[in-house]
Amino acid sequence: MAANLPPVTPWYVCLTKPRREALAVRKLEEQGYEVFLPMLTLWEKTRAGWRKRQQVMFPRYGFVRCARPEQSIGPIRSTPGVSGLVSFGVLPAILDDGTLAAIRSLAERQARKVEEKVNPFQAGDSVEVAAGPLKGMSGIVSAVAEERVTIMLGLLGREKPVAVPVGQVTLA
């Protein structure tokens, strides 16, 4: 029964050149390798407001495996953007399918969590007003809407809720 199953090819840990992960992935895929580069989705403040951006989960590292049983791992070292395979002595580092599935699941859950949010703030966050007439004041987020954040600010000796545009607030 087991003789009819296709052989399982292991996942190898690939070391890329600094900030060349995307190039390495593209070139490895062009050669027919199966590649996985886990990404994180983050919020980034720009002049226009907050936007989501992708960042590599493990800078300079990716995961690669042979797509065909007869394919060699030899050409990986000379692929543009790749420094080589992570090795322990002469043996290349291997990642089992369970660990890779856990990393994949973690990346997907994190991306879903960020996608569900309208902006990077949530109730209870400590924030600072970075622009506008209240610039420099700090407070705690009490409510979040699509374009505004309600912050509890200490004004005239009392805590007052103040609605501020999302683009004028940064995490403290």
Side-chain angles (χ1 to χ4, degrees):
M1 218 184 319
N4 295 339
L5 295 175
V8 177
T9 56
W11 285 95
Y12 297 98
V13 182
C14 178
L15 179 65
T16 67
K17 294 181 179 171
R19 293 180 301 282
R20 295 287 182 248
E21 296 92 352
L23 172 68
V25 167
R26 191 175 74 242
K27 294 298 185 180
L28 286 166
E29 286 175 341
E30 286 174 3
Q31 294 177 57
Y33 291 100
E34 188 176 344
V35 184
F36 174 57
L37 183 66
M39 302 294 281
L40 293 173
T41 305
L42 304 171
W43 284 97
E44 179 182 67
K45 185 158 177 38
T46 64
R47 287 182 183 216
W50 290 90
R51 69 177 182 97
K52 295 173 193 161
R53 108 179 142 81
Q54 293 279 310
Q55 176 180 315
V56 178
M57 185 182 283
F58 304 112
R60 295 199 63 196
Y61 293 95
F63 306 103
V64 62
R65 77 173 170 185
C66 300
R68 301 177 312 274
E70 70 277 357
Q71 194 173 22
S72 170
I73 62 171
I76 294 173
R77 290 188 317 260
S78 60
T79 300
V82 174
S83 290
L85 291 174
V86 174
S87 298
F88 299 107
V90 295
L91 298 174
I94 294 175
L95 204 63
D96 62 75
D97 287 332
T99 304
L100 193 80
I103 293 170
R104 203 174 288 232
S105 172
L106 177 68
E108 289 169 1
R109 277 184 297 166
Q110 189 273 338
R112 266 195 312 274
K113 187 176 178 183
V114 170
E115 289 299 322
E116 290 170 0
K117 287 183 164 185
V118 176
N119 62 52
F121 305 107
Q122 58 187 11
D125 284 347
S126 215
V127 295
E128 184 176 322
V129 180
L134 300 172
K135 182 178 181 178
M137 296 192 77
S138 296
I140 305 293
V141 174
S142 64
V144 178
E146 190 168 332
E147 296 187 19
R148 294 197 171 272
V149 177
T150 303
I151 306 169
M152 296 301 289
L153 293 176
L155 298 171
L156 302 172
R158 297 179 126 182
E159 289 285 315
K160 295 283 185 185
V162 179
V164 180
V166 172
Q168 293 183 0
V169 181
T170 59
L171 290 168

